[in-house]
Amino acid sequence: MEMLLILAVIGVCTAQFSPNLGFGKTSIVHLFEWRWEDIAAECERYLAPNGFGGVQVSPPNENKIITNPSRPWWERYQPISYKICSRSGDEQQFRDMVTRCNNVGVHIYVDAVINHMCGEGLGKGNLSTCGSSYDTDEKSFPAVPYSYLDFNDKKCTTQSGNIENYSDAHQVRDCRLVSLMDLALEKEYVRGKIADYLNELIDIGVAGFRIDAAKHMWPGDLLAIIRKLNNLNTSWFPNGTRPLIFQEVIDLGGEGISASEYYGIGRITEFKYGAKLGKVIRKWEGSYGSREKMAYLKNWGESWGLMPSDRALVFVDNHDNQRGHGGGGSSILTFWESRLYKMAVGFMLAHPYGFTRVMSSFRWTRIFENGKDKNDWVGPPSYLNESTMAVTINEDSTCGNGWVCEHRWRQIKNMVIFRNLARDQPLLNWWDNGENQVAFGRGSVGFIVFNNDDWSFHKSLQTGLPAGIYCDVISGQKEGNTCTGERIEVNGDGFAQFSIKSSDEDPFVAIHINAKL
């Protein structure tokens, strides 16, 4: 029976693996907890002009308002209904955002919370972002509506009703994840309500979905829901286009559920990517007891135990593991360690493996106790009335009001452009020193060099690029007929001289054909 299910899943149409990005675009950005009106403006003023293909947005559906602690980020993952109404904005603001972003070629991917409703034991009331009532004791959510008949309580075999053993696939999929009320997705009624919600978003114009907590759903149930989804809105997408599906399946090994069980449904968030790359950039001990080196990245990808490239959505960090939980451990690099982080993101965007997502965060005050951040729950920057602060843009193009905006960092933005130019180009001219100095090219359009050693780098390397003067897009960029950063001369034979000090603010250099003077 299990083999028949796997074959059915693998046999499904593969259209939902396509990112649905505009021509020549290769990456999306997660504008975590941004307001819809700010995302609309960012699509028009920055994302479209700089080659970003899409935005992953926070869950737009109505959620429980959590007051203890006060308005944490994770309240967005406590659904009350499927009304489009959250602290990011109302339905009209959401529709306006989708339209404006689509009109400039930046598509919207919704974080879909469909495994569960809010946590048990919250009682009854209407303290929710749209004011809809609920009663968790009675398992009643009249705004959907769901009743006690629509939850998995009788199927769960643990005493607590929660997942107690992650090696038990039945517990992981039939019991409650951290007390969140687990929906009975085998029921046709529940599947229909979820599909209605996702189809409303598709009709508005979204391009796809991140499926939250996918490994907590049986693949067959999830596939049945996906098959109910409409094709994308033909106002912006070709007729017959299927929504992109990328599923949150945390699979670092050693548990009862494998990411491979979900390959046939859509792409998978490859958590091993950031965990392993973080160890390499940090030069930490690897799987076999020796110190990791960037030279080992020569065969980066499936040879490192990562899933097939055409199934992987990859990222250096996400909204969960940048807070120390959700998969990846302490090796995960984040904006708090900006020098190493920029190198990791630069490598990700230069390397051909996977479909890339850039993170865009907000700051919070970190308070560590016994190695754990006590403030990992803190929600987005807020006004005194607890509404989310606007994203303001400073004169130097950085963000204010506590928004980090990593996607606006020159080094990351320019590497998004690099990846667009290098799309479909082979990885060529790999060089390394056996340690942490590496370089490689992408066909005849781009070349990147890293120095993550504790000594300076001076070497002539074959770039594969046409002769000419190029602007380094890490230390600066091409503006008109000048370089705002370093200049690199490529000779007629394709060789160029590179010099990177170990003390440089950004110990890597990247050039591409559109940065040629």
Side-chain angles (χ1 to χ4, degrees), residues 125-147:
N126 60 356
L127 192 60
S128 53
T129 49
C130 291
S132 295
S133 62
Y134 55 88
D135 188 333
T136 60
D137 295 330
E138 297 294 328
K139 304 179 181 63
S140 173
F141 295 87
V144 179
Y146 286 140
S147 73

Side-chain angles (χ1 to χ4, degrees), residues 29 31 34 42 46-47 52 360 405-409 413:
V29 57
L31 298 182
W34 280 42
E42 189 74 347
Y46 195 85
L47 298 180
F52 288 84
S360 193
C405 295
E406 298 98 310
H407 69 286
R408 279 179 166 262
W409 294 359
K413 176 262 293 182

Side-chain angles (χ1 to χ4, degrees), residues 127-182:
L127 192 60
S128 53
T129 49
C130 291
S132 295
S133 62
Y134 55 88
D135 188 333
T136 60
D137 295 330
E138 297 294 328
K139 304 179 181 63
S140 173
F141 295 87
V144 179
Y146 286 140
S147 73
Y148 72 95
L149 297 172
D150 301 316
F151 294 92
N152 269 336
D153 300 83
K154 292 183 179 179
K155 292 170 63 180
C156 178
T157 58
T158 67
Q159 185 173 2
S160 66
N162 294 323
I163 302 166
E164 296 174 359
N165 178 10
Y166 272 81
S167 295
D168 184 333
H170 287 271
Q171 283 191 32
V172 173
R173 289 160 171 159
D174 292 338
C175 298
R176 294 173 178 171
L177 169 66
V178 292
S179 297
L180 296 164
M181 300 181 65
D182 203 59

Side-chain angles (χ1 to χ4, degrees), residues 21 28 59 92 97 101 104 171 195 228 233 249 295 310 326 336 355 373 391 415 417 465 498 513:
L21 300 179
I28 63 174
Q92 184 53 49
M97 170 196 67
C101 289
V104 294
Q171 283 191 32
K228 291 178 179 289
N233 189 319
V249 181
D310 63 355
W336 296 109
F355 171 44
D373 182 3
V391 178
M415 286 307 300
I417 296 170
L465 299 183
F498 296 91
I513 52 171

Side-chain angles (χ1 to χ4, degrees), residues 188-483:
E188 193 63 27
Y189 174 78
V190 175
R191 292 174 178 178
K193 286 298 181 182
I194 293 170
D196 288 347
Y197 164 55
L198 301 183
N199 279 330
E200 180 183 9
L201 296 171
I202 288 172
D203 293 345
I204 289 171
V206 307
F209 303 98
R210 171 196 181 262
I211 305 297
D212 179 67
K215 86 177 199 179
H216 298 280
M217 296 177 259
W218 291 97
D221 293 339
L222 187 50
L223 181 61
I225 294 169
I226 300 305
R227 284 175 168 163
K228 291 178 179 289
L229 299 187
N230 298 336
N231 293 333
L232 299 187
N233 189 319
T234 55
S235 297
W236 298 288
F237 302 96
N239 187 44
T241 304
R242 298 297 294 160
L244 169 67
I245 302 298
F246 55 102
Q247 307 157 91
E248 184 199 22
V249 181
I250 303 174
D251 176 13
L252 300 175
E255 292 186 7
I257 292 173
S258 168
S260 62
E261 299 176 56
Y262 296 83
Y263 283 176
I265 302 173
R267 288 183 179 259
I268 314 289
T269 50
E270 177 53 284
F271 279 83
K272 291 194 291 289
Y273 191 100
K276 290 176 180 283
L277 186 59
K279 282 188 175 181
V280 173
I281 300 296
R282 294 180 185 277
K283 297 181 278 191
W284 281 4
E285 187 177 291
S287 301
Y288 300 102
S290 60
R291 182 170 59 88
E292 295 284 22
K293 303 174 182 180
M294 287 194 76
Y296 298 160
L297 295 174
K298 185 175 183 178
N299 65 343
W300 180 245
E302 289 91 338
S303 297
W304 278 67
L306 304 181
M307 66 184 64
S309 179
D310 63 355
R311 291 297 182 267
L313 180 131
V314 300
F315 49 97
V316 172
D317 65 328
N318 79 341
H319 67 281
D320 267 322
N321 61 20
Q322 70 174 197
R323 289 164 170 76
H325 50 85
S330 58
S331 69
I332 296 298
L333 287 164
T334 73
F335 69 88
W336 296 109
E337 300 168 278
S338 61
R339 188 172 185 268
L340 297 180
Y341 183 71
K342 284 180 282 186
M343 275 200 291
V345 176
F347 180 87
M348 176 184 77
L349 293 170
H351 196 278
Y353 177 88
F355 171 44
T356 48
R357 181 183 65 197
V358 172
M359 183 66 196
S360 193
S361 316
F362 58 80
R363 291 182 181 84
W364 69 95
T365 301
R366 296 196 294 177
I367 301 175
F368 286 97
E369 187 174 287
N370 298 322
K372 185 181 184 304
D373 182 3
K374 293 175 61 179
N375 274 350
D376 63 358
W377 60 269
V378 172
S382 300
Y383 298 109
L384 291 177
N385 66 359
E386 296 189 326
S387 64
T388 301
M389 280 189 172
V391 178
T392 55
I393 308 300
N394 302 321
E395 289 186 6
D396 64 356
S397 189
T398 59
C399 294
N401 274 354
W403 300 96
V404 179
C405 295
E406 298 98 310
H407 69 286
R408 279 179 166 262
W409 294 359
R410 178 189 66 247
Q411 302 85 345
I412 292 176
K413 176 262 293 182
N414 284 341
M415 286 307 300
V416 168
I417 296 170
F418 180 108
R419 188 176 188 84
N420 289 344
L421 292 169
R423 67 188 184 279
D424 302 325
Q425 295 289 318
L427 192 155
L428 299 173
N429 297 311
W430 176 276
W431 174 91
D432 66 71
N433 69 342
E435 293 292 331
N436 293 288
Q437 296 175 354
V438 304
F440 60 91
R442 295 294 305 279
S444 59
V445 302
F447 194 76
I448 192 164
V449 186
F450 295 87
N451 177 18
N452 199 27
D453 278 326
D454 296 328
W455 55 88
S456 294
F457 170 87
H458 303 284
K459 193 165 183 66
S460 179
L461 297 172
Q462 173 58 251
T463 67
L465 299 183
I469 304 295
Y470 292 77
C471 299
D472 169 32
V473 297
I474 304 304
S475 61
Q477 58 198 18
K478 177 184 174 184
E479 292 186 2
N481 293 316
T482 62
C483 300

